Amino acid sequence: MDMPVVGIIPLVDAGRESLWMLPAYMEGVTHGGGLPVMLPLTDREDQLERMLELCDGFLFTGGHDVSPDVYGEETLPVCGELCPGRDRMEKPLLLEALARDKSILGICRGLQFLNAALGGTLYQDLSAQRPTDCSHRMAAPYDRPEHPAVLTEGAPLRRLLDSASIGVNSCHHQAVRDLAPGLSVMAEAPDGVVEAVWMPGKRFVWAVQWHPEFSYYADANSRRIFNAFVESMKKQEDHSKIPNE
């Protein structure tokens, strides 16, 4: 497969009634040798099926808070803006992509949604429910490290980056509380907040809490993550291959 097609979940601006995209999501996929396609916002079964037929992998982007409905809890006042349309689209798309062993990369909300959809739970607001001295909501610019992430020994992210710890940016107020069955931790912040997960036994199911799309131009590790994602769709016979930048 010379140029895998990667479906990217759209970002939603409700106030402007528009869908939009950060260029680095697409450029990260392009740099790795893939063809990025921004998807429409839909939960129609026939359209989701066609996406699954056309796309070799899916990038679950950042954005709105995940609705507590996804993980069976009441919405607290500290929860941020929700996007029911994304929740309705992403859950069936994610579950069927997993069933078909499509490659999946989740970023920020993407990690949170992966965890919630698979049976885990979230902190609806870290400052209210898990206060810490570690800064998880940095000020712009976002292309610089805000805190370290300790990479789990033996996990594929540590093998890819060949380091026990890396610096990451951080711009979120929700996070994994209870880890979903089937997921394993790949990285943690100094305060123990989950920073990256993966699903063993799948072609490529990774998710990170930080934003490699913001640090893509300045940080080689961010580019390596995108490259590994796209490469996983090319190497159908060898899921363990991890490329360099």
Side-chain angles (χ1 to χ4, degrees):
M1 188 181 300
D2 295 329
M3 188 179 292
V5 177
V6 177
I8 305 180
I9 304 297
L11 304 174
V12 179
D13 187 329
R16 296 180 179 177
E17 297 183 343
S18 65
L19 305 180
W20 65 287
M21 184 54 53
L22 287 166
Y25 281 127
M26 291 194 158
E27 292 179 22
V29 170
T30 301
H31 182 271
L35 176 65
V37 177
M38 190 180 92
L39 301 174
L41 185 68
T42 179
D43 60 353
R44 278 181 45 177
E45 291 185 12
D46 58 340
Q47 293 182 342
L48 295 177
E49 174 60 31
R50 190 68 176 128
M51 292 177 198
L52 288 156
E53 293 172 355
L54 291 171
C55 297
D56 304 296
F58 294 93
L59 199 168
F60 286 77
T61 53
H64 293 78
D65 282 6
V66 177
S67 173
D69 288 343
V70 177
Y71 48 99
E73 295 187 3
E74 293 184 5
T75 302
L76 303 176
V78 293
C79 191
E81 184 180 359
L82 307 178
C83 183
R86 282 195 61 171
D87 294 336
R88 290 193 300 269
M89 172 183 177
E90 289 180 47
K91 188 166 186 179
L93 184 64
L94 171 65
L95 296 180
E96 189 57 32
L98 289 171
R100 301 186 191 192
D101 202 19
K102 301 281 187 175
S103 294
I104 292 170
L105 176 62
I107 292 177
C108 195
R109 171 193 157 93
L111 182 154
Q112 297 160 10
F113 193 87
L114 174 68
N115 186 67
L118 295 180
T121 64
L122 303 177
Y123 293 108
Q124 295 186 37
D125 182 79
L126 282 172
S127 63
Q129 297 178 298
R130 197 185 188 283
T132 174
D133 292 334
C134 185
S135 173
H136 290 285
R137 203 171 180 91
M138 68 190 292
Y142 304 116
D143 62 348
R144 57 192 170 86
E146 178 69 5
H147 64 71
V150 179
L151 307 186
T152 304
E153 187 172 359
L157 184 60
R158 181 159 172 170
R159 296 200 303 272
L160 172 68
L161 304 183
D162 193 26
S163 178
S165 178
I166 61 170
V168 298
N169 56 20
S170 191
C171 188
H172 63 105
H173 81 112
Q174 294 199 320
V176 171
R177 185 175 68 193
D178 300 307
L179 190 67
L183 296 180
S184 295
V185 174
M186 289 203 293
E188 293 182 340
D191 60 0
V193 167
V194 173
E195 288 286 332
V197 301
W198 69 300
M199 182 176 284
K202 291 294 186 181
R203 177 185 306 281
F204 186 103
V205 179
W206 291 16
V208 298
Q209 184 58 74
W210 64 90
H211 288 270
E213 80 282 10
F214 287 146
S215 54
Y216 173 79
Y217 302 103
D219 177 45
N221 287 332
S222 297
R223 296 191 292 274
R224 291 186 180 107
I225 290 170
F226 278 108
N227 289 357
F229 172 48
V230 177
E231 187 70 18
S232 70
M233 297 169 236
K234 299 178 183 178
K235 302 293 183 180
Q236 298 188 31
E237 75 285 356
D238 183 3
H239 299 180
S240 64
K241 182 176 176 63
I242 297 178
N244 293 318
E245 183 187 1

